[in-house]
Amino acid sequence: MQIAGIDLYVNHPVMALGSTEWIPTTLALNNEPAAACDTHVIVRVRPQVALVKVRIFLDHGEADDRGRDAVARTTVFDGHLLLSDGRFVVGDVVGESRFTTSLLGEPGMR
């Protein structure tokens, strides 16, 4: 079941998803398409070309696209994130494009 989603344009080729806390300086892509730590995921994207669509599911296996346009999806992270205040942030790493959800639940691992 999808619990959150956002479509946005970004100006930087690296997008960050996760906690409202600062992104750890030790988190680096190192020629990979995505990297994660306990609080954030960073992903390479194509800036200023098309909308970047971010979808968050309660369980990856529950995604259901019947009745919707068929869209190719790529899972870039399948795990838990520590959300210190229960909110989830999506945006480019320079902070020009940023979206913060309302509470997804209690603070902690989600």
Side-chain angles (χ1 to χ4, degrees):
M1 174 175 59
Q2 182 177 322
I3 59 170
I6 182 77
D7 300 349
L8 74 155
Y9 288 103
V10 293
N11 291 317
H12 193 275
V14 178
M15 176 178 261
L17 308 98
S19 176
T20 55
E21 298 175 355
W22 290 98
I23 300 168
T25 57
T26 56
L27 185 58
L29 286 172
N30 298 326
N31 295 321
E32 297 294 326
C37 66
D38 61 340
T39 58
H40 292 86
V41 177
I42 55 174
V43 182
R44 290 189 199 284
V45 295
R46 294 176 47 198
Q48 299 180 344
V49 174
L51 281 170
V52 176
K53 297 175 182 274
V54 177
R55 302 291 180 261
I56 303 166
F57 293 90
L58 183 60
D59 181 2
H60 177 67
E62 294 181 9
D64 184 2
D65 290 328
R66 286 177 283 175
R68 298 182 190 170
D69 294 333
V71 176
R73 290 193 170 90
T74 302
T75 299
V76 295
F77 177 74
D78 186 4
H80 295 89
L81 291 175
L82 177 60
L83 303 179
S84 62
D85 60 1
R87 294 184 297 157
F88 190 81
V89 177
V90 176
D92 59 37
V93 294
V94 294
E96 291 182 5
S97 304
R98 180 180 165 112
F99 175 80
T100 303
T101 65
S102 58
L103 291 176
L104 289 180
E106 295 295 320
M109 294 300 280
R110 309 296 296 163

